[in-house]
Amino acid sequence: DQQVKQNSPSLSVQEGRISILNCDYTNSMFDYFLWYKKYPAEGPTFLISISSIKDKNEDGRFTVFLNKSAKHLSLHIVPSQPGDSAVYFCAASAFGRGSQGNLIFGKGTKLSVKP
Amino acid sequence: GAGVSQSPSNKVTEKGKDVELRCDPISGHTALYWYRQSLGQGLEFLIYFQGNSAPDKSGLPSDRFSAERTGGSVSTLTIQRTQQEDSAVYLCASSLAGRSSYNEQFFGPGTRLTVL
């Protein structure tokens, strides 16, 4: 049973427009959420995170929104650039809840930003 | 470079053979993690080392999988009697300290294992 779901395997966006990547989770114990970006033949790199005590975190062109009641988070990239083309993984953990704190990853969404 | 390195980058083996995958974490990082990513799947946690503590092996899929971390640095993931379903990209990550929201995990490029 998948605890972290990314239901869109791929997304195509025009350069300069907004990219919205979605992620749903089922475990209400999760209290920390992260987005990782992965280029081919490279390991994932950390992009942005959000604690469950917040509903928004912004870092430059990247903003993550958290809706705890819906168990949903999204990553907004604006404006999108061709270099943003990569696979984006959503991950969640229960770091503050006395759990083992393992990251649980979604299957990823492949973003293509077209010039 | 100062990042996490893994070797080999690609490994092709025959079913039933044993394989060893190596991870060199970032110098000074006390925590080390192994994950695997099967085709079309997300990253799946395998095992976690932190300092001198007993490793968290809760993610290992079977007793054919084992890992060691010698001297608190380099780690080797061993898969015995490989099966075709073991084919995946095996990723290693390290962090400065243990699992928490303050300790970013830095990933290596992975080893792509193909079991024929």
Side-chain angles (χ1 to χ4, degrees), chain A residues 57-78:
Chain A
N57 189 25
E58 191 172 351
D59 183 3
R61 297 186 297 114
F62 303 91
T63 303
V64 55
F65 294 92
L66 176 63
N67 181 335
K68 287 190 294 293
S69 61
K71 294 191 178 69
H72 176 83
L73 65 156
S74 60
L75 174 68
H76 293 211
I77 307 173
V78 56

Side-chain angles (χ1 to χ4, degrees), chain A:
Chain A
D1 182 32
Q2 272 190 279
Q3 296 187 67
V4 178
K5 301 177 184 178
Q6 294 178 256
N7 293 319
S8 297
S10 63
L11 174 68
S12 183
V13 172
Q14 203 69 31
E15 181 179 7
R17 300 291 186 105
I18 185 170
S19 296
I20 300 176
L21 297 102
N22 293 304
C23 178
D24 296 290
Y25 62 95
T26 57
N27 190 340
S28 58
M29 296 293 286
F30 288 147
D31 60 2
Y32 193 68
F33 305 89
L34 308 90
W35 286 94
Y36 280 82
K37 176 179 178 180
K38 185 181 184 302
Y39 292 117
E42 295 183 12
T45 56
F46 169 76
L47 189 58
I48 192 169
S49 63
I50 188 167
S51 164
S52 60
I53 62 172
K54 295 185 175 182
D55 54 18
K56 177 183 175 181
N57 189 25
E58 191 172 351
D59 183 3
R61 297 186 297 114
F62 303 91
T63 303
V64 55
F65 294 92
L66 176 63
N67 181 335
K68 287 190 294 293
S69 61
K71 294 191 178 69
H72 176 83
L73 65 156
S74 60
L75 174 68
H76 293 211
I77 307 173
V78 56
S80 302
Q81 299 173 355
D84 296 329
S85 297
V87 177
Y88 289 79
F89 290 98
C90 172
S93 185
F95 285 129
R97 301 288 180 97
S99 80
Q100 295 169 334
N102 291 323
L103 291 180
I104 309 297
F105 286 83
K107 293 184 178 182
T109 296
K110 183 176 183 180
L111 173 66
S112 299
V113 180
K114 302 192 181 305

